[in-house]
Amino acid sequence: MNPINNETINTILDLADGDSDILCDLLKSFLNDTKELLDGIKYSVINLNWEKLEFNVHTLKGLSATIGAVPLFEVCKQLNEDLKKGEIKKAISLVNSLNVKYIEVVDYIKSNYQVEDET
């Protein structure tokens, strides 16, 4: 399964009248924004800050949905639900899966769209 849904990418391109530069800008923004979110997620887990963790995961979930990163979205969704229910141990067990899915998305974007983050 691709880490990004091709139908979503095609929809973005349709909305941009086929302008691939707009798609690349969106993907670049995703890379830049999510890098900070992942750092925040790691920091939140280390410091046991569940409120900040929930905020960062929720934000990552939304950004993932925007670009069609379905597997990443699904992990974020489950992690977010577990945090809302107070199931901290269950949520923390998903953080590793979140990191794996995130790396898959980043690698896919960089190799298929030749987009890099700004750092």
Side-chain angles (χ1 to χ4, degrees):
M1 173 183 223
N2 278 345
I4 297 182
N5 181 301
N6 288 329
E7 289 180 31
T8 303
I9 295 297
N10 291 335
T11 299
I12 293 167
L13 284 169
D14 286 345
L15 291 170
D17 292 326
D19 188 345
S20 61
D21 287 341
I22 292 174
L23 173 62
C24 288
D25 287 346
L26 177 66
L27 295 174
K28 187 175 194 175
S29 177
F30 174 86
L31 293 178
N32 291 328
D33 294 345
T34 57
K35 189 172 186 175
E36 289 182 29
L37 288 172
L38 259 285
D39 289 344
I41 288 168
K42 291 173 190 173
Y43 178 84
S44 298
V45 170
I46 290 168
N47 291 290
L48 311 176
N49 186 338
W50 311 128
E51 186 176 311
K52 184 69 173 171
L53 178 61
E54 185 177 343
F55 175 82
N56 286 328
V57 169
H58 179 78
T59 304
L60 181 59
K61 180 180 75 162
L63 293 173
S64 300
T66 300
I67 66 161
V70 177
L72 179 58
F73 169 84
E74 291 297 332
V75 172
C76 289
K77 179 180 172 188
Q78 185 61 56
L79 203 158
N80 199 46
E81 289 172 5
D82 291 343
L83 288 168
K84 284 183 179 187
K85 293 177 187 174
E87 298 176 1
I88 302 303
K89 287 183 182 181
K90 191 174 174 185
I92 289 183
S93 72
L94 290 172
V95 171
N96 189 47
S97 294
L98 183 143
N99 284 317
V100 169
K101 296 299 179 190
Y102 174 73
I103 290 168
E104 290 173 359
V105 171
V106 170
D107 290 346
Y108 186 84
I109 289 171
K110 289 181 176 183
S111 66
N112 288 283
Y113 299 98
Q114 289 70 49
V115 173
E116 297 287 331
D117 56 14
E118 293 179 348
T119 57

